[in-house]
Amino acid sequence: MYRSGFIAIVGRPNAGKSTLLNSLLKEKIAISSDKPNTTRNNIAGILTQEDCQYVFVDTPGIHKPQQQLGRILNKNAYTAMEDCDVIAWIIDCTQPFGRGDTFILERIKKLHKPTLLLLNKVDMLTKDELMKACLAWQEQYNFDELIPISALEKDNLDELLRVFKAYLPEGLAMFPEEMKSDHDETFQMCEIVREKILKRTNQEIPHSIAVVLESRKEDENHMDLGMLVIVDKPSQKGILIGKQAKMIRSIRLASQKELSEKFHKKVHLDLYVRVEKNWRNQHEKIKEFGLDERSEERRV
């Protein structure tokens, strides 16, 4: 009996959604950082086994939005929840149930779908603390399953896959066996650059950037890329470039290194920074930069 289906990984910012996706697939599918809302798109990671194809959909962290971009990111997550076969709600079990969790739970209640609660970061709790966390969350909702995991340490993930399989419908594989993600190389390239920016900047910069591929030329051994980094204030452009262009050079070199490793060829990357004032409140710009999943003609 072959099973296949979509599993929406949802939760608050920094709960460990992208880390879980990468750990389940044993390779980097989604970028991660300690900045909230690192994930902006619904990213499908596809795990194909002998008798099952899991399509995990990493979603933006559900949060109280401050701009139009934040509202669209929430809607991207809601779209994944509505279209999936199983909801995997991942929580940081070191934190108590809060107002943001109430917001997610109300959405889950309306969907009437199998919902598994994944208690992440169990490596940071004692057995007694974990038991108390499980009991506290059980009082909130009648979850189909409560599964303790550590996405970072890859703890209990085999058991998690076994449980997921039981909730997926019978059916044929939906993607080719060799396919690992539904996003193309252009998206992956831009995300690698954005990750390097996230890890090197603070305050408003991580939330204010978008990365767009402007040019790509390559042969068997070399790849030349030109990318545009969008910010929404002139002051952010100065921070991103840095004194004597040290910041942008650091970002460029780190990005080149990972891109070279990913594509197995020498990569030369040029980065340019442009100000698009208040772009996060302009729906057309958000759409242009590929951040509104509803404009994409795909299920996830």
Side-chain angles (χ1 to χ4, degrees), residues 26-86:
K26 299 180 180 177
E27 70 175 82
K28 186 175 179 179
I29 301 296
I31 66 170
S32 61
S33 82
D34 59 358
K35 307 295 192 301
N37 297 120
T38 295
T39 300
R40 286 177 169 174
N41 298 76
N42 293 342
I43 302 171
I46 304 157
L47 176 61
T48 304
Q49 296 184 341
E50 186 177 339
D51 59 352
C52 186
Q53 186 175 78
Y54 307 84
V55 185
F56 298 103
V57 185
D58 184 20
T59 63
I62 297 171
H63 63 292
K64 184 177 180 180
Q66 303 297 321
Q67 291 95 11
Q68 176 71 0
L69 175 61
R71 288 186 281 274
I72 286 176
L73 297 189
N74 278 351
K75 288 179 181 178
N76 288 347
Y78 300 153
T79 297
M81 293 170 72
E82 291 163 4
D83 290 350
C84 73
D85 299 292
V86 181

Side-chain angles (χ1 to χ4, degrees), residues 15 51 80 85 109 159-161 207 217 228 249 260 288:
D51 59 352
D85 299 292
K109 287 177 178 177
E159 172 65 12
L160 181 60
L161 287 175
H207 307 286
K217 296 178 181 178
L228 185 62
R249 182 175 184 273
S260 295
E288 178 185 334

Side-chain angles (χ1 to χ4, degrees), residues 2-166:
Y2 198 91
R3 293 181 181 272
S4 63
F6 287 80
I7 302 160
I9 304 174
V10 303
R12 295 171 70 176
N14 279 1
K17 297 179 294 295
S18 298
T19 301
L20 176 61
L21 178 70
N22 294 337
S23 292
L24 286 167
L25 271 76
K26 299 180 180 177
E27 70 175 82
K28 186 175 179 179
I29 301 296
I31 66 170
S32 61
S33 82
D34 59 358
K35 307 295 192 301
N37 297 120
T38 295
T39 300
R40 286 177 169 174
N41 298 76
N42 293 342
I43 302 171
I46 304 157
L47 176 61
T48 304
Q49 296 184 341
E50 186 177 339
D51 59 352
C52 186
Q53 186 175 78
Y54 307 84
V55 185
F56 298 103
V57 185
D58 184 20
T59 63
I62 297 171
H63 63 292
K64 184 177 180 180
Q66 303 297 321
Q67 291 95 11
Q68 176 71 0
L69 175 61
R71 288 186 281 274
I72 286 176
L73 297 189
N74 278 351
K75 288 179 181 178
N76 288 347
Y78 300 153
T79 297
M81 293 170 72
E82 291 163 4
D83 290 350
C84 73
D85 299 292
V86 181
I87 296 171
W89 182 8
I90 183 169
I91 59 111
D92 178 348
C93 67
T94 67
Q95 302 297 316
F97 187 92
R99 291 177 63 184
D101 297 307
T102 302
F103 193 61
I104 297 171
L105 186 55
E106 289 305 310
R107 178 72 55 163
I108 285 173
K109 287 177 178 177
K110 293 176 182 177
L111 293 173
H112 306 290
K113 294 195 175 193
T115 302
L116 282 59
L117 185 72
L118 314 186
L119 293 100
N120 191 28
K121 306 184 183 180
V122 296
D123 52 307
M124 301 176 69
L125 297 182
T126 65
K127 288 185 178 180
D128 286 344
E129 289 170 336
L130 177 58
M131 182 63 68
K132 288 178 183 177
C134 289
L135 292 172
W137 280 86
Q138 280 178 325
E139 292 176 359
Q140 301 297 332
Y141 183 67
N142 185 25
F143 296 100
D144 292 276
E145 307 275 353
L146 276 79
I147 308 168
I149 64 165
S150 172
L152 186 63
E153 300 297 330
K154 302 179 176 61
D155 185 26
N156 211 31
L157 298 192
D158 288 339
E159 172 65 12
L160 181 60
L161 287 175
R162 186 191 67 77
V163 175
F164 277 143
K165 185 188 296 184

